[in-house]
Amino acid sequence: MGNNELLLDLRNLQTYFFTDDGVVKAVDGMSFQIRKGEVLGLVGESGCGKSVASLSIIRLVDKPGKVVGGEIIFKGEDLLKKSEEEMRKIRGAEIGMIFQEPMTSLNPVYTIGNQIMEAILVHQDIGEEEAQKRSIELLKLVGIPEPERRFNQYPHELSGGMRQRAMIAMAMSSNPDLLISDEATTALDVTIQAQILELMKDLQKRTGMAVLFITHDLSLVAEMADIVAVAYTGKIVEYSDVRSVFKNPKHPYTFGLLRSVPSLVNEQRKVDLPAIEGMVPSPYHMPNGCHFHPRCPFATDVCRREMPELEEKLPSHYARCFHPVEVSKEVV
Amino acid sequence: MKKLVEVQNLTKYFPVLGGVFSRPIGWVKAVDDVSFHIYEGETFALVGESGSGKTTCGKTVIRLIEPTKGKIIFEGKEITKLSQSEMRPLRRSMQIIFQDPYGSLNPRLPVGEIIREPLLVHNIGTKKEQEDRVVDVMKLVGLSPEYLHRYPHEFSGGQRQRIGIARAIVLNPKFIVADEPVSALDASIQAQVLNLLLDLQKKLALTYLLVAHNLAVVRHVSDRIAVTYLGKVIEVAETTELFSVPLHPYTQALLSAIPVPDPDVKRERILLQGDIPSPINPPSGCRFRTRCRFAKDICKEKEPPLIDVDGEHYVACHFVKKGKKTEYTVS
Amino acid sequence: MATEYALEEVEKKETYSYWRMVFKRFRKHKLAMTGLVILVAIIITVIVGPLIWRVDPIAQLEGPYELLSPSRDHPFGTDDFARDVLARWFAGGKISLMIGFAAAVSATIIGAVVGLVAGYFGGVVDAILMRIVDILLCIPTFPLLIALASVLGKGVWQIILVIVVFGWMGDARLVRSVVLSLKEEQFTEAAKAIGVSPSRIMFIHFLPNVMAPIIVSTTLGIGSSIVYEASISFLGFGVQAPLASWGNMLQNAQQYIWNAPRLVWYPGLAIFITVLSFNFIGDGLRDAMDPKLYR
């Protein structure tokens, strides 16, 4: 990561959904930074606001949702101040995106090749022939065998893994500075997921792009990310480099999640897993104070009263907690 | 150990309909000549990726799907040929937990009714006794009986899964097929439900057939594991044995593909080439040969039988011999 | 830890059954509520009106009282047979609405049963029932109706019969398609795993789940049945004079459209507003019962 230049600086982002039943604060004061060439893993369970955050960055939040506060500084400029026209030039060119379900992200009535070509022609000033050549190169780049034949195939003729590769090809078509990958491997089988992860790592290394890697799966973050941000109920609760988060989790939520996942090496099988009790609170009835306190084994009165700030608990290791976990994971 | 369930040469083909008259134009070979047995009180897992036929297999064992061929023996009695009405009394002892906590509960019935229905259908006890039993079972699965009159849409995924589990155990069954019971749940909820399943197994002496794709989950709760690929069982072994000495090249690749929540673990991954072939036209011979690093000519010509290589460790590969001798070499 | 109730700290909110939630949402639907208010007003008027305005709708007034303009004695005036139009409007409304309800509800019941059976059993049963539907849908209704009228005679019950015979196929198709998707739901599989019988699956598990589309379709069906009645009566094969319906009032009025347009306006507007109200209510119900909201 020779380059330490800031690429994306998310400052106190707030995205609310104004529904019939009340206001849902899907993203409520989220901040994180991605430097050039860096992979930030944004991890959390359903309802933590991770996907809404990514849609906010590319300004694709649909009604009744709305970005109501914060700044999204991308390459020194606030994306929230851009016009729709300017955003269209950024999306797909400077920021590429891949989503969970490649089938719904691809248009079933056009060939794979057509769709990649379109992505190229929209953002680059080159001719059709050149674009076609580049599309086939891209298909080759993402490891699709027989790219010339695949170019003329429709999405339904490709397997899930191949479709996700095609999506990646499309996202890579304009050499983006930032790739947003939202649960891109969740729908895939383990052996196919392994292929796609290797591909993403390889592309990231080769192009030096930054990646916002969004997932619910801690193990994928451990494998992919340089920096980890753990989200819970629309806020970042833990933020540090990957090693520190996994070896020395400070927030009881991260700590609990890591302990509750069944291990592949643990000697003790068929025993109770140390589960986190309770469940994510309803977005309409957020608890007072720290949103995690009803499930937290360390909660005290102050947790029930006040929302803690994201503070530095170890050198450049931040956690939003009054009673950060003191023991290392190995001890417990 | 007593065998509770025995499956012999189980086969299930689904027709692919086509043409003007919707005649079968092909067959999805979802389960193809599969044999295994499940001991009383154990958790036996079927693992595999999509298209492996593991779910079909699990549902066929309890006759929710009609087998095309083969035998299913439950408690020493063959149940393959029984009519659905002859099956009805047996349903008391075999139940299923579904993957989808949203689709598996009727949205128009209150939770109490959903859990009581099995008792109603099998005419067990008076109304009062049934209601008491429902309350007991709700407590057992960690649901407050206060919520008896609520509807499924008022519950979260994890709670709905508890409701589905309550419905499955209310008849005191011996055998439960758990079809991906936690894969639709959030990470922090998965552990709760897994603990519940383990707890119930101890309390009620249940035998589980666990169908799952998450190998970490399977490793944690299972006693023995069968690895499936494209409608075939390719390796069966006791859990620790399978994870320490995987013999089939597919099992090895599958295990190496599992992501580990530890940034310090940098494993040598066996990356499989290509995709899982379609179960409509599976490859000849060994079905895994198209993605296998060790495939030779014989793999194309002959299907490897599932052989016992070392007392209760079964493998279907031409290059694995008795005594766990492996002879595969990269060609 | 299974003994600890996972729900403990969840908000202790009121329990809503499905239908109460539907009602709550429906009340927020402005257009549908407007429709409902207007419709209730029309129904009350049609029922209570004759109790206050005690004039025989069939009696022809003695003397030269044809086509009188509205006055204190005859607020809506009189028609070409010197009958009081207001009295006829009340009586006609009652008959039109009654035909609408009776026809739409019967058609829906027949359609729902056919759809449930065809969808659940599939195979030959399904094929036969659906071909009957296809055939009935190809028959042009009006010529057959004229033929039927000559066999059965003309009148209120015949009209209902005709509307029902030609009106249940849409519901049958609708219910069948819902049942086909319900059959694939996991809760159906769960019911089978328990050992639930087919009839119990059909009536305890499926019927409540098809109620929502059935109710929407019946509501819209009442509206279209009223229009249908009007068209049939307009052609002279419906409700026969001296009995009044909004439809045959329109038919009578057509020859006086230039010299007494009010005779067209009264029944015409009534039909228009009533049917529009039913359609608004139907739309509101559809939105309120959207299954996506309650999964």
Side-chain angles (χ1 to χ4, degrees), chain A residues 45-46 159 189 191 195 198 223 243 246-247 263-264 266 269-273 276-279 295, chain B residues 49-50 156 159 186 188 192 195 201 219-223 259 262-264 269 272 274-276 291:
Chain A
E45 300 176 279
S46 52
S159 68
D189 281 314
T191 58
Q195 295 173 353
E198 290 299 328
E223 179 165 343
R243 224 182 154 270
F246 279 86
K247 293 296 168 188
S263 143
L264 283 173
N266 200 337
R269 299 188 302 108
K270 300 203 85 167
V271 293
D272 263 7
L273 293 163
I276 302 178
E277 292 303 317
M279 56 190 187
R295 307 176 73 185
Chain B
E49 300 179 277
S50 53
S156 69
Q159 291 162 344
D186 272 325
S188 74
Q192 294 176 3
N195 287 349
Q201 181 166 44
R219 180 182 179 276
H220 185 72
V221 299
S222 310
D223 298 297
D262 186 341
D264 285 352
R269 221 176 228 162
L272 290 179
D275 291 310
I276 305 163
R291 301 171 76 197

Side-chain angles (χ1 to χ4, degrees), chain B residues 229-260:
Chain B
Y229 187 80
L230 271 182
K232 293 280 183 192
V233 168
I234 54 109
E235 183 157 5
V236 184
E238 191 271 321
T239 302
T240 38
E241 163 96 1
L242 187 87
F243 275 81
S244 50
V245 200
L247 291 175
H248 197 285
Y250 174 65
T251 312
Q252 293 169 352
L254 193 64
L255 294 183
S256 81
I258 312 168
V260 183

Side-chain angles (χ1 to χ4, degrees), chain A residues 112-113 116 134-148 150-152 158 162 165-166 169:
Chain A
I112 297 293
I116 300 176
R134 176 119 176 79
S135 307
I136 292 173
E137 273 166 26
L138 279 165
L139 288 174
K140 212 177 288 172
L141 179 76
V142 296
I144 292 184
E146 305 172 77
E148 287 86 1
R150 297 292 183 184
F151 183 88
N152 289 314
L158 270 60
M162 283 298 151
R165 283 174 194 267

Side-chain angles (χ1 to χ4, degrees), chain C residues 45-93:
Chain C
T45 316
V46 163
I47 291 170
V48 177
L51 303 177
I52 298 163
W53 187 249
R54 293 171 174 280
V55 173
D56 187 350
I58 292 169
Q60 302 182 6
L61 299 171
E62 296 294 327
Y65 292 128
E66 288 93 357
L67 297 175
L68 288 182
S69 291
S71 64
R72 184 179 298 233
D73 288 345
H74 306 289
F76 276 18
T78 61
D79 67 3
D80 50 332
F81 283 95
R83 293 174 294 210
D84 183 76
V85 175
L86 181 61
R88 287 187 74 69
W89 189 87
F90 287 140

Side-chain angles (χ1 to χ4, degrees), chain B residues 22 35 55 138 161 180 326:
Chain B
S22 323
S35 303
T55 292
M138 282 180 83
Q161 207 55 318
E180 298 273 13
T326 54

